[in-house]
Amino acid sequence: MRKVVVVTGASSGVGLALCKRLLEEDDELHVCLACRNVGKAEAVRAALLAAHPAAEVSVVQVDVSNLQSVIRAARELKQRFQRLDYVYLNAGIMPNPQLNIKALFSGLFSRKVIHMFSTAEGLLTQEDKVTADGLQEVFETNVFGHFILIQELEALLCHSDSPSRLIWTSSRNARKSNFHLEDIQHSRGQEPYSSSKYAIDLLSVALNRNFNPRGLYSSVVCPGTMVTSMTCGILPPCVWTVLLPIIWLLRFFANAFTVTPHNGTEALVWLFHQKPESLNPLTKYLSATTGFGSNYVTTQKMDLDEDTAEKFYQNLLELEKRIRDTIQKTNHQS
């Protein structure tokens, strides 16, 4: 039986590069492209099948910033498949990023210049908004929509005979200082992207604690600093053209500058081959690239504690219940 891999956000960037690399590793996979834009996903599907005719590639429409869409997609996946072997929770947004020019120039002349460029720590703020579900958009897209997808797909993911895997696209930008249990959606802050990535790290730890006995394992990855449609929103393309030679030079001093989505998927592909029981749930797996362009995987202990992770998980369950109750009432009224 073919192994089934679901990838959210598979039509561009890291998600697209991941699908290509997974099929290069094993062209007998069934890869399901879980995307918001069906037209783009179908074009990707055609290209993947042209390159790997022995593979199976399908499309499911899902907008993880819309819970009704998530529930519909999960229902469709349950109709198609008996189990899912891997779910790459990759879709994410960084809306309206604003560069802190003062912090940039201050960092350029400090000892932390390489760390600053590797993590974007203190450099970026974002303008968030509220979705139709009444949630902060970054939180819902990057965290909660995926959480609901997992909850809906539990029957396909939990099998005692062989484990299933959740692999999250997190970030080196996930910072404890930007996350607060009293404001899990970061509605009162200016760095919702960093907060959401830290929330992903917490959730992964809690999922392992609650689901490992049932055969479901979770891991988090940082793909590194890349030039993608997301990062191009930070600076104009002409500026990136100027910066790229500097970034290539910095790779001799720091391994986080993977630059391309292909390089950024290194840890995601590496995890595909690992036995989940052998992995440390408190470790983040980082894609890395040397100054000469060789890719490898390194690790980082996550800056969190399991009690906070469990409290966050319980907060998500409570939020899920409130949202489902609201949806049910709305459906009854209509």
mmCIF file of all heavy atoms in Angstrom, residues 252-289:
data_model
loop_
_atom_site.group_PDB
_atom_site.id
_atom_site.type_symbol
_atom_site.label_atom_id
_atom_site.label_comp_id
_atom_site.label_asym_id
_atom_site.label_seq_id
_atom_site.Cartn_x
_atom_site.Cartn_y
_atom_site.Cartn_z
ATOM 1 N N PHE A 252 29.248 31.489 5.259
ATOM 2 C CA PHE A 252 30.512 30.953 5.763
ATOM 3 C C PHE A 252 30.624 31.115 7.277
ATOM 4 O O PHE A 252 31.470 30.494 7.915
ATOM 5 C CB PHE A 252 31.702 31.643 5.074
ATOM 6 C CG PHE A 252 31.921 31.185 3.661
ATOM 7 C CD1 PHE A 252 31.397 31.899 2.591
ATOM 8 C CD2 PHE A 252 32.626 30.013 3.387
ATOM 9 C CE1 PHE A 252 31.584 31.477 1.283
ATOM 10 C CE2 PHE A 252 32.823 29.586 2.087
ATOM 11 C CZ PHE A 252 32.299 30.310 1.029
ATOM 12 N N PHE A 253 29.747 31.948 7.860
ATOM 13 C CA PHE A 253 29.800 32.216 9.296
ATOM 14 C C PHE A 253 28.562 31.705 10.039
ATOM 15 O O PHE A 253 28.603 31.537 11.258
ATOM 16 C CB PHE A 253 29.936 33.729 9.535
ATOM 17 C CG PHE A 253 31.101 34.339 8.816
ATOM 18 C CD1 PHE A 253 30.937 34.955 7.587
ATOM 19 C CD2 PHE A 253 32.378 34.273 9.358
ATOM 20 C CE1 PHE A 253 32.016 35.516 6.916
ATOM 21 C CE2 PHE A 253 33.463 34.825 8.698
ATOM 22 C CZ PHE A 253 33.285 35.445 7.477
ATOM 23 N N ALA A 254 27.460 31.489 9.312
ATOM 24 C CA ALA A 254 26.220 31.011 9.940
ATOM 25 C C ALA A 254 25.501 30.091 8.973
ATOM 26 O O ALA A 254 25.408 30.373 7.775
ATOM 27 C CB ALA A 254 25.318 32.187 10.311
ATOM 28 N N ASN A 255 24.980 28.971 9.494
ATOM 29 C CA ASN A 255 24.405 27.946 8.620
ATOM 30 C C ASN A 255 22.929 28.145 8.326
ATOM 31 O O ASN A 255 22.317 27.351 7.621
ATOM 32 C CB ASN A 255 24.613 26.559 9.226
ATOM 33 C CG ASN A 255 24.003 26.437 10.627
ATOM 34 O OD1 ASN A 255 23.078 27.164 10.996
ATOM 35 N ND2 ASN A 255 24.520 25.498 11.406
ATOM 36 N N ALA A 256 22.302 29.202 8.869
ATOM 37 C CA ALA A 256 20.850 29.373 8.736
ATOM 38 C C ALA A 256 20.426 29.902 7.364
ATOM 39 O O ALA A 256 19.243 29.855 7.024
ATOM 40 C CB ALA A 256 20.338 30.330 9.812
ATOM 41 N N PHE A 257 21.385 30.399 6.571
ATOM 42 C CA PHE A 257 21.033 31.027 5.298
ATOM 43 C C PHE A 257 20.925 29.970 4.197
ATOM 44 O O PHE A 257 21.830 29.778 3.389
ATOM 45 C CB PHE A 257 22.066 32.102 4.933
ATOM 46 C CG PHE A 257 22.148 33.197 5.955
ATOM 47 C CD1 PHE A 257 23.177 33.222 6.896
ATOM 48 C CD2 PHE A 257 21.176 34.184 6.007
ATOM 49 C CE1 PHE A 257 23.239 34.209 7.852
ATOM 50 C CE2 PHE A 257 21.230 35.184 6.963
ATOM 51 C CZ PHE A 257 22.259 35.200 7.893
ATOM 52 N N THR A 258 19.801 29.276 4.193
ATOM 53 C CA THR A 258 19.578 28.233 3.194
ATOM 54 C C THR A 258 19.250 28.822 1.822
ATOM 55 O O THR A 258 19.433 28.169 0.800
ATOM 56 C CB THR A 258 18.439 27.303 3.646
ATOM 57 O OG1 THR A 258 17.307 28.094 4.031
ATOM 58 C CG2 THR A 258 18.875 26.457 4.841
ATOM 59 N N VAL A 259 18.706 30.020 1.780
ATOM 60 C CA VAL A 259 18.471 30.846 0.588
ATOM 61 C C VAL A 259 17.331 30.349 -0.294
ATOM 62 O O VAL A 259 16.416 31.098 -0.620
ATOM 63 C CB VAL A 259 19.757 31.042 -0.260
ATOM 64 C CG1 VAL A 259 19.462 31.919 -1.485
ATOM 65 C CG2 VAL A 259 20.863 31.670 0.577
ATOM 66 N N THR A 260 17.360 29.068 -0.700
ATOM 67 C CA THR A 260 16.330 28.559 -1.610
ATOM 68 C C THR A 260 15.386 27.598 -0.888
ATOM 69 O O THR A 260 15.785 26.918 0.064
ATOM 70 C CB THR A 260 16.951 27.811 -2.799
ATOM 71 O OG1 THR A 260 17.555 26.594 -2.325
ATOM 72 C CG2 THR A 260 18.015 28.662 -3.506
ATOM 73 N N PRO A 261 14.133 27.515 -1.341
ATOM 74 C CA PRO A 261 13.208 26.529 -0.753
ATOM 75 C C PRO A 261 13.725 25.100 -0.829
ATOM 76 O O PRO A 261 13.493 24.304 0.082
ATOM 77 C CB PRO A 261 11.927 26.722 -1.572
ATOM 78 C CG PRO A 261 11.977 28.154 -2.008
ATOM 79 C CD PRO A 261 13.440 28.419 -2.291
ATOM 80 N N HIS A 262 14.423 24.765 -1.904
ATOM 81 C CA HIS A 262 14.981 23.410 -2.043
ATOM 82 C C HIS A 262 15.911 23.117 -0.868
ATOM 83 O O HIS A 262 15.814 22.058 -0.217
ATOM 84 C CB HIS A 262 15.738 23.279 -3.363
ATOM 85 C CG HIS A 262 16.375 21.926 -3.555
ATOM 86 N ND1 HIS A 262 17.620 21.613 -3.048
ATOM 87 C CD2 HIS A 262 15.942 20.799 -4.177
ATOM 88 C CE1 HIS A 262 17.929 20.362 -3.356
ATOM 89 N NE2 HIS A 262 16.925 19.847 -4.033
ATOM 90 N N ASN A 263 16.822 24.026 -0.578
ATOM 91 C CA ASN A 263 17.725 23.837 0.555
ATOM 92 C C ASN A 263 16.952 23.832 1.878
ATOM 93 O O ASN A 263 17.282 23.093 2.801
ATOM 94 C CB ASN A 263 18.770 24.949 0.591
ATOM 95 C CG ASN A 263 19.713 24.912 -0.596
ATOM 96 O OD1 ASN A 263 19.806 23.912 -1.295
ATOM 97 N ND2 ASN A 263 20.409 26.012 -0.833
ATOM 98 N N GLY A 264 15.928 24.685 1.948
ATOM 99 C CA GLY A 264 15.154 24.805 3.174
ATOM 100 C C GLY A 264 14.404 23.549 3.576
ATOM 101 O O GLY A 264 14.047 23.362 4.741
ATOM 102 N N THR A 265 14.167 22.658 2.617
ATOM 103 C CA THR A 265 13.428 21.421 2.924
ATOM 104 C C THR A 265 14.319 20.310 3.478
ATOM 105 O O THR A 265 13.824 19.217 3.776
ATOM 106 C CB THR A 265 12.727 20.873 1.659
ATOM 107 O OG1 THR A 265 13.727 20.555 0.675
ATOM 108 C CG2 THR A 265 11.751 21.883 1.091
ATOM 109 N N GLU A 266 15.612 20.570 3.644
ATOM 110 C CA GLU A 266 16.540 19.511 4.036
ATOM 111 C C GLU A 266 16.077 18.776 5.298
ATOM 112 O O GLU A 266 16.035 17.543 5.340
ATOM 113 C CB GLU A 266 17.937 20.090 4.241
ATOM 114 C CG GLU A 266 19.028 19.051 4.453
ATOM 115 C CD GLU A 266 19.320 18.226 3.198
ATOM 116 O OE1 GLU A 266 18.981 18.669 2.082
ATOM 117 O OE2 GLU A 266 19.907 17.132 3.359
ATOM 118 N N ALA A 267 15.718 19.522 6.343
ATOM 119 C CA ALA A 267 15.294 18.876 7.594
ATOM 120 C C ALA A 267 13.947 18.186 7.438
ATOM 121 O O ALA A 267 13.699 17.138 8.042
ATOM 122 C CB ALA A 267 15.238 19.904 8.721
ATOM 123 N N LEU A 268 13.064 18.754 6.625
ATOM 124 C CA LEU A 268 11.752 18.151 6.380
ATOM 125 C C LEU A 268 11.890 16.795 5.699
ATOM 126 O O LEU A 268 11.181 15.839 6.033
ATOM 127 C CB LEU A 268 10.915 19.089 5.510
ATOM 128 C CG LEU A 268 10.519 20.422 6.154
ATOM 129 C CD1 LEU A 268 10.253 21.471 5.082
ATOM 130 C CD2 LEU A 268 9.303 20.265 7.034
ATOM 131 N N VAL A 269 12.811 16.710 4.753
ATOM 132 C CA VAL A 269 13.045 15.442 4.048
ATOM 133 C C VAL A 269 13.791 14.462 4.954
ATOM 134 O O VAL A 269 13.490 13.263 4.973
ATOM 135 C CB VAL A 269 13.830 15.695 2.744
ATOM 136 C CG1 VAL A 269 14.194 14.376 2.066
ATOM 137 C CG2 VAL A 269 13.016 16.566 1.793
ATOM 138 N N TRP A 270 14.733 14.969 5.723
ATOM 139 C CA TRP A 270 15.486 14.112 6.648
ATOM 140 C C TRP A 270 14.536 13.434 7.634
ATOM 141 O O TRP A 270 14.647 12.229 7.899
ATOM 142 C CB TRP A 270 16.525 14.958 7.385
ATOM 143 C CG TRP A 270 17.364 14.192 8.355
ATOM 144 C CD1 TRP A 270 18.486 13.460 8.081
ATOM 145 C CD2 TRP A 270 17.157 14.087 9.779
ATOM 146 N NE1 TRP A 270 18.987 12.903 9.236
ATOM 147 C CE2 TRP A 270 18.195 13.268 10.287
ATOM 148 C CE3 TRP A 270 16.205 14.592 10.653
ATOM 149 C CZ2 TRP A 270 18.297 12.959 11.647
ATOM 150 C CZ3 TRP A 270 16.302 14.283 12.012
ATOM 151 C CH2 TRP A 270 17.331 13.480 12.492
ATOM 152 N N LEU A 271 13.578 14.181 8.166
ATOM 153 C CA LEU A 271 12.621 13.618 9.117
ATOM 154 C C LEU A 271 11.757 12.536 8.482
ATOM 155 O O LEU A 271 11.315 11.610 9.167
ATOM 156 C CB LEU A 271 11.737 14.719 9.695
ATOM 157 C CG LEU A 271 12.358 15.558 10.815
ATOM 158 C CD1 LEU A 271 11.474 16.746 11.153
ATOM 159 C CD2 LEU A 271 12.600 14.703 12.063
ATOM 160 N N PHE A 272 11.509 12.650 7.193
ATOM 161 C CA PHE A 272 10.718 11.657 6.468
ATOM 162 C C PHE A 272 11.320 10.257 6.624
ATOM 163 O O PHE A 272 10.594 9.259 6.651
ATOM 164 C CB PHE A 272 10.652 12.049 4.988
ATOM 165 C CG PHE A 272 9.954 11.058 4.101
ATOM 166 C CD1 PHE A 272 8.568 10.995 4.067
ATOM 167 C CD2 PHE A 272 10.683 10.193 3.302
ATOM 168 C CE1 PHE A 272 7.916 10.084 3.241
ATOM 169 C CE2 PHE A 272 10.038 9.277 2.476
ATOM 170 C CZ PHE A 272 8.655 9.229 2.444
ATOM 171 N N HIS A 273 12.637 10.181 6.775
ATOM 172 C CA HIS A 273 13.333 8.889 6.829
ATOM 173 C C HIS A 273 13.598 8.401 8.255
ATOM 174 O O HIS A 273 14.092 7.279 8.434
ATOM 175 C CB HIS A 273 14.671 8.987 6.095
ATOM 176 C CG HIS A 273 14.539 9.236 4.626
ATOM 177 N ND1 HIS A 273 14.054 8.291 3.750
ATOM 178 C CD2 HIS A 273 14.822 10.334 3.878
ATOM 179 C CE1 HIS A 273 14.042 8.791 2.518
ATOM 180 N NE2 HIS A 273 14.503 10.023 2.572
ATOM 181 N N GLN A 274 13.294 9.215 9.260
ATOM 182 C CA GLN A 274 13.647 8.844 10.628
ATOM 183 C C GLN A 274 12.536 8.046 11.301
ATOM 184 O O GLN A 274 11.357 8.213 11.002
ATOM 185 C CB GLN A 274 13.940 10.096 11.457
ATOM 186 C CG GLN A 274 14.992 11.011 10.864
ATOM 187 C CD GLN A 274 16.262 10.285 10.475
ATOM 188 O OE1 GLN A 274 16.864 9.577 11.291
ATOM 189 N NE2 GLN A 274 16.675 10.447 9.230
ATOM 190 N N LYS A 275 12.934 7.187 12.235
ATOM 191 C CA LYS A 275 11.959 6.504 13.079
ATOM 192 C C LYS A 275 11.513 7.480 14.158
ATOM 193 O O LYS A 275 12.346 7.983 14.924
ATOM 194 C CB LYS A 275 12.574 5.255 13.712
ATOM 195 C CG LYS A 275 12.872 4.151 12.711
ATOM 196 C CD LYS A 275 13.407 2.907 13.413
ATOM 197 C CE LYS A 275 13.643 1.791 12.410
ATOM 198 N NZ LYS A 275 14.168 0.557 13.076
ATOM 199 N N PRO A 276 10.240 7.788 14.235
ATOM 200 C CA PRO A 276 9.794 8.839 15.160
ATOM 201 C C PRO A 276 10.084 8.532 16.621
ATOM 202 O O PRO A 276 10.301 9.437 17.428
ATOM 203 C CB PRO A 276 8.290 8.922 14.895
ATOM 204 C CG PRO A 276 7.916 7.614 14.284
ATOM 205 C CD PRO A 276 9.116 7.196 13.491
ATOM 206 N N GLU A 277 10.108 7.250 16.974
ATOM 207 C CA GLU A 277 10.380 6.877 18.361
ATOM 208 C C GLU A 277 11.780 7.294 18.807
ATOM 209 O O GLU A 277 12.037 7.437 20.005
ATOM 210 C CB GLU A 277 10.220 5.365 18.554
ATOM 211 C CG GLU A 277 8.841 4.818 18.189
ATOM 212 C CD GLU A 277 8.752 4.387 16.727
ATOM 213 O OE1 GLU A 277 9.596 4.828 15.916
ATOM 214 O OE2 GLU A 277 7.837 3.613 16.415
ATOM 215 N N SER A 278 12.677 7.480 17.841
ATOM 216 C CA SER A 278 14.066 7.817 18.167
ATOM 217 C C SER A 278 14.294 9.325 18.302
ATOM 218 O O SER A 278 15.393 9.757 18.674
ATOM 219 C CB SER A 278 15.003 7.269 17.078
ATOM 220 O OG SER A 278 14.792 7.961 15.845
ATOM 221 N N LEU A 279 13.275 10.128 18.012
ATOM 222 C CA LEU A 279 13.437 11.582 17.998
ATOM 223 C C LEU A 279 13.091 12.191 19.356
ATOM 224 O O LEU A 279 12.195 11.725 20.051
ATOM 225 C CB LEU A 279 12.544 12.195 16.912
ATOM 226 C CG LEU A 279 12.815 11.718 15.490
ATOM 227 C CD1 LEU A 279 11.740 12.250 14.551
ATOM 228 C CD2 LEU A 279 14.198 12.157 15.027
ATOM 229 N N ASN A 280 13.793 13.260 19.687
ATOM 230 C CA ASN A 280 13.545 13.981 20.937
ATOM 231 C C ASN A 280 12.424 14.995 20.725
ATOM 232 O O ASN A 280 12.556 15.897 19.894
ATOM 233 C CB ASN A 280 14.823 14.694 21.380
ATOM 234 C CG ASN A 280 14.688 15.337 22.751
ATOM 235 O OD1 ASN A 280 13.584 15.631 23.226
ATOM 236 N ND2 ASN A 280 15.815 15.560 23.404
ATOM 237 N N PRO A 281 11.310 14.883 21.447
ATOM 238 C CA PRO A 281 10.183 15.800 21.234
ATOM 239 C C PRO A 281 10.482 17.248 21.607
ATOM 240 O O PRO A 281 9.737 18.148 21.236
ATOM 241 C CB PRO A 281 9.078 15.223 22.122
ATOM 242 C CG PRO A 281 9.795 14.438 23.167
ATOM 243 C CD PRO A 281 11.006 13.887 22.493
ATOM 244 N N LEU A 282 11.578 17.491 22.344
ATOM 245 C CA LEU A 282 11.947 18.846 22.748
ATOM 246 C C LEU A 282 13.003 19.458 21.826
ATOM 247 O O LEU A 282 13.545 20.517 22.108
ATOM 248 C CB LEU A 282 12.469 18.848 24.189
ATOM 249 C CG LEU A 282 11.465 18.396 25.254
ATOM 250 C CD1 LEU A 282 12.118 18.358 26.624
ATOM 251 C CD2 LEU A 282 10.252 19.318 25.281
ATOM 252 N N THR A 283 13.255 18.792 20.707
ATOM 253 C CA THR A 283 14.264 19.256 19.760
ATOM 254 C C THR A 283 13.618 19.820 18.511
ATOM 255 O O THR A 283 12.660 19.251 17.983
ATOM 256 C CB THR A 283 15.206 18.088 19.373
ATOM 257 O OG1 THR A 283 15.955 17.681 20.523
ATOM 258 C CG2 THR A 283 16.173 18.489 18.267
ATOM 259 N N LYS A 284 14.175 20.927 18.030
ATOM 260 C CA LYS A 284 13.778 21.488 16.732
ATOM 261 C C LYS A 284 14.865 21.117 15.718
ATOM 262 O O LYS A 284 16.064 21.227 15.998
ATOM 263 C CB LYS A 284 13.642 23.010 16.815
ATOM 264 C CG LYS A 284 13.190 23.670 15.514
ATOM 265 C CD LYS A 284 13.026 25.180 15.678
ATOM 266 C CE LYS A 284 11.851 25.480 16.587
ATOM 267 N NZ LYS A 284 11.590 26.942 16.705
ATOM 268 N N TYR A 285 14.435 20.668 14.562
ATOM 269 C CA TYR A 285 15.364 20.237 13.521
ATOM 270 C C TYR A 285 15.516 21.350 12.489
ATOM 271 O O TYR A 285 14.526 21.851 11.939
ATOM 272 C CB TYR A 285 14.878 18.928 12.904
ATOM 273 C CG TYR A 285 14.821 17.838 13.937
ATOM 274 C CD1 TYR A 285 13.664 17.625 14.702
ATOM 275 C CD2 TYR A 285 15.946 17.062 14.226
ATOM 276 C CE1 TYR A 285 13.641 16.655 15.706
ATOM 277 C CE2 TYR A 285 15.914 16.094 15.219
ATOM 278 C CZ TYR A 285 14.771 15.897 15.950
ATOM 279 O OH TYR A 285 14.755 14.958 16.947
ATOM 280 N N LEU A 286 16.758 21.751 12.243
ATOM 281 C CA LEU A 286 17.038 22.938 11.456
ATOM 282 C C LEU A 286 17.714 22.583 10.130
ATOM 283 O O LEU A 286 18.727 21.872 10.110
ATOM 284 C CB LEU A 286 17.957 23.891 12.235
ATOM 285 C CG LEU A 286 17.612 24.148 13.705
ATOM 286 C CD1 LEU A 286 18.688 25.011 14.342
ATOM 287 C CD2 LEU A 286 16.255 24.823 13.823
ATOM 288 N N SER A 287 17.168 23.071 9.035
ATOM 289 C CA SER A 287 17.855 22.966 7.754
ATOM 290 C C SER A 287 19.038 23.926 7.771
ATOM 291 O O SER A 287 18.919 25.071 8.223
ATOM 292 C CB SER A 287 16.911 23.326 6.605
ATOM 293 O OG SER A 287 15.846 22.413 6.514
ATOM 294 N N ALA A 288 20.171 23.469 7.272
ATOM 295 C CA ALA A 288 21.384 24.282 7.292
ATOM 296 C C ALA A 288 22.138 24.116 5.975
ATOM 297 O O ALA A 288 22.045 23.069 5.324
ATOM 298 C CB ALA A 288 22.270 23.879 8.468
ATOM 299 N N THR A 289 22.869 25.162 5.601
ATOM 300 C CA THR A 289 23.639 25.144 4.361
ATOM 301 C C THR A 289 25.014 25.747 4.619
ATOM 302 O O THR A 289 25.122 26.812 5.226
ATOM 303 C CB THR A 289 22.932 25.944 3.251
ATOM 304 O OG1 THR A 289 21.607 25.433 3.077
ATOM 305 C CG2 THR A 289 23.672 25.830 1.929
#
